[in-house]
Amino acid sequence: MVRRFLFLSVICLSFVLGFALLGYFYVASATNKDIYSDMGNIHQHDVALVLGTSKRLKNGSSNPYFYTRVQAAATLYKNGKVKKILVSGDNGHVTYNEPKDMLNALIALGVCREDIVMDHAGFRTFDSMVRAKEVFGQQSLIVVSQRFQLQRALFIASAKNMKVVGFEAEDPQLSGNFLFAREILARTKALMDCYLLNTAPRYLGQKEEIRVNS
């Protein structure tokens, strides 16, 4: 009886792991064609969406993922590829504000304050993508992050009938195997959110459509 239970447990675990790995590589293959690292190849859009992360690592040092993202967004803006920048991140606590940190960093890089819009309820990538469409009225935009997150973001956007491309920020590659394992779980969750669970963002609220002058 115990052997049978263990055998079935191994079979079930193998199936789950197989599904997760298949999902990981499927998301990558479905989105890589729409991710650009050369700004010269990307078409002009009204808005760039920068996906949030903490400006500090757990050890208190500066987070290079944060700074390479805002640098990439500022580069798009300065080269006329976008007119507005939507910064979306976690502001779930009074002492933690990813959108404000991105705002300040972009201003320091020469982006005009009036061209930056903050989304304080981008608690995760899924929320940021859905809110960009449902709250900020963006059906088509450039998403800025590292490739591993862009693949997931573009997959979610496609499932939500958005026309989105990604601009790849430099990847510091600090996390190694931990990041790979975390991304497997995140992509499995994204697949379930989009096609099984009918998930909604934690918070939507009133529309704040981004208007861009011609």
Side-chain angles (χ1 to χ4, degrees):
M1 188 70 177
V2 174
R3 284 186 176 181
R4 184 178 182 183
F5 173 77
L6 290 175
F7 176 76
L8 291 175
S9 297
V10 170
I11 293 297
C12 290
L13 180 60
S14 298
F15 176 80
V16 171
L17 290 176
F19 174 80
L21 284 171
L22 182 63
Y24 178 91
F25 291 109
Y26 173 73
V27 168
S29 65
T31 57
N32 273 333
K33 66 182 185 303
D34 295 317
I35 297 175
Y36 298 86
S37 55
D38 184 349
M39 187 181 56
N41 293 330
I42 200 165
H43 294 299
Q44 185 181 36
H45 289 68
D46 286 339
V47 177
L49 165 64
V50 188
L51 298 174
T53 187
S54 173
K55 71 175 183 178
R56 299 284 180 188
L57 298 174
K58 289 183 178 181
N59 62 10
S61 62
S62 296
N63 182 0
Y65 289 96
F66 174 93
Y67 288 101
T68 54
R69 290 180 197 182
V70 295
Q71 181 66 64
T75 300
L76 286 173
Y77 175 85
K78 290 179 179 180
N79 284 274
K81 294 294 183 176
V82 296
K83 299 176 182 177
K84 298 280 186 179
I85 300 177
L86 172 61
V87 291
S88 180
D90 189 346
N91 182 208
H93 191 274
V94 67
T95 63
Y96 186 80
N97 195 329
E98 290 177 357
K100 186 176 180 180
D101 289 338
M102 288 189 283
L103 168 77
N104 292 334
L106 286 167
I107 291 173
L109 290 170
V111 179
C112 296
R113 170 62 186 90
E114 58 267 28
D115 291 330
I116 306 171
V117 180
M118 290 191 287
D119 173 15
H120 290 95
F123 298 111
R124 61 194 187 105
T125 305
F126 180 88
D127 291 29
S128 294
M129 298 310 301
V130 175
R131 283 176 55 81
K133 178 182 179 182
E134 300 297 335
V135 176
F136 296 97
Q138 301 306 302
Q139 297 275 1
S140 176
L141 45 73
I142 302 173
V143 186
V144 180
S145 187
Q146 282 73 31
R147 180 173 290 264
F148 67 87
Q149 189 177 27
L150 285 176
Q151 291 170 339
R152 179 159 37 94
L154 268 60
F155 177 82
I156 293 167
S158 177
K160 299 301 178 180
N161 297 313
M162 299 170 67
K163 295 181 179 179
V164 172
V165 296
F167 183 57
E168 183 178 8
E170 181 182 350
D171 189 345
Q173 297 183 343
L174 297 180
S175 303
N177 293 332
F178 171 77
L179 179 61
F180 175 69
R182 188 181 69 175
E183 193 62 25
I184 289 175
L185 295 175
R187 294 185 189 191
T188 301
K189 183 66 165 64
L191 284 161
M192 295 174 67
D193 284 337
C194 291
Y195 295 113
L196 293 177
L197 302 178
N198 195 28
T199 303
R202 188 189 307 182
Y203 180 77
L204 277 176
Q206 297 181 343
K207 288 187 177 294
E208 305 175 45
E209 187 169 347
I210 300 173
R211 300 192 181 278
V212 178
N213 296 326
S214 301

